[in-house]
Amino acid sequence: MRSRRLLVLLLIASSALGAFCAVRWQTAERRERATKAWTQTVMDSLIRTLPIPTPTDALETRDSLYWVWVATLGQLQSRRWQQEVRRAWTTRRTLLEPFDVDELRRRGLADPARQLRDSLVAHPELIPVEGVLGGTMAFVPGEEILLFSPHYAFAAFEDGHIGGHMLLRFGVEAEGRVFWERLWVSQD
């Protein structure tokens, strides 16, 4: 009798461990895909080459003003690429217009994109789909929540087995309190 209880307990523990590992594996694969896509975007933007003009006949030596000019142009283009990558990194997966971001800041959100995403992740009760096989539905955090103007969000949700997408409307009350309204849901 005691060995049977121990066997059942070990079976439950191994099932829970297997489910935990499966969820972690899926999360790691999703992050890998996102990283590959981001890296490809950055590499594609860097492929754009700087057209270097040909030297004129008036320049006779290699250590001339022409080569200094070419190096300066290369540095300027590199800085532009770095600024573009930095801008894309800070604004990725948000289509909020600058004036919307300013308005959200006036309403009390210091970092609107991050705070809105965190607020949505903290409200899994908005998901009307029940989890299966013991899973609990939750929003996929991070860049899977797309914010866009005027006050909408498109978010993915899952429980590790099934998932879906949802369109929501958000509003920000005084002191930065965010409220959400579910508009549309699609289960995958």
Side-chain angles (χ1 to χ4, degrees):
M1 185 66 154
R2 193 171 200 201
S3 63
R4 181 177 258 168
R5 284 184 188 172
L6 182 62
L7 184 61
V8 169
L9 187 61
L10 287 174
L11 182 61
I12 290 171
S14 65
S15 296
L17 181 63
F20 174 76
C21 290
V23 168
R24 295 291 299 217
W25 188 334
Q26 283 182 336
T27 303
E29 286 179 342
R30 188 172 41 252
R31 286 183 182 160
E32 177 191 19
R33 285 191 301 270
T35 301
K36 282 182 180 177
W38 176 247
T39 304
Q40 186 64 44
T41 302
V42 170
M43 294 307 291
D44 288 345
S45 71
L46 293 177
I47 287 175
R48 290 183 275 151
T49 58
L50 174 66
I52 299 175
T54 57
T56 62
D57 293 334
L59 299 173
E60 298 174 359
T61 64
R62 294 186 74 192
D63 297 329
S64 65
L65 182 62
Y66 167 76
W67 294 110
V68 172
W69 180 60
V70 168
T72 304
L73 280 178
Q75 288 175 344
L76 289 173
Q77 185 64 31
S78 173
R79 286 186 188 138
R80 276 188 232 128
W81 285 336
Q82 289 171 357
Q83 287 172 347
E84 183 61 27
V85 167
R86 198 173 298 119
R87 185 198 62 78
W89 177 261
T90 58
T91 62
R92 67 181 181 173
R93 303 300 282 179
T94 180
L95 301 175
L96 293 174
E97 298 293 333
F99 59 86
D100 290 326
V101 172
D102 291 340
E103 176 62 29
L104 291 169
R105 284 189 177 128
R106 278 192 291 277
R107 291 182 181 228
L109 299 179
D111 183 3
R114 184 186 55 78
Q115 287 176 284
L116 287 169
R117 286 186 181 112
D118 290 348
S119 170
L120 184 58
V121 169
H123 290 285
E125 70 275 2
L126 291 167
I127 304 170
V129 179
E130 291 294 322
V132 298
L133 300 173
T136 303
M137 284 292 179
F139 289 105
V140 179
E143 288 75 43
E144 294 296 321
I145 299 173
L146 175 64
L147 304 169
F148 55 98
S149 296
H151 292 288
Y152 295 100
F154 186 77
F157 60 88
E158 66 175 24
D159 70 347
H161 305 287
I162 63 169
H165 293 85
M166 183 182 302
L167 179 66
L168 303 114
R169 182 185 351 240
F170 64 87
V172 180
E173 296 174 340
E175 297 150 9
R177 284 179 294 174
V178 180
F179 64 91
W180 295 93
E181 176 187 358
R182 182 177 56 234
L183 301 176
W184 171 84
V185 177
S186 172
Q187 184 177 346
D188 294 342

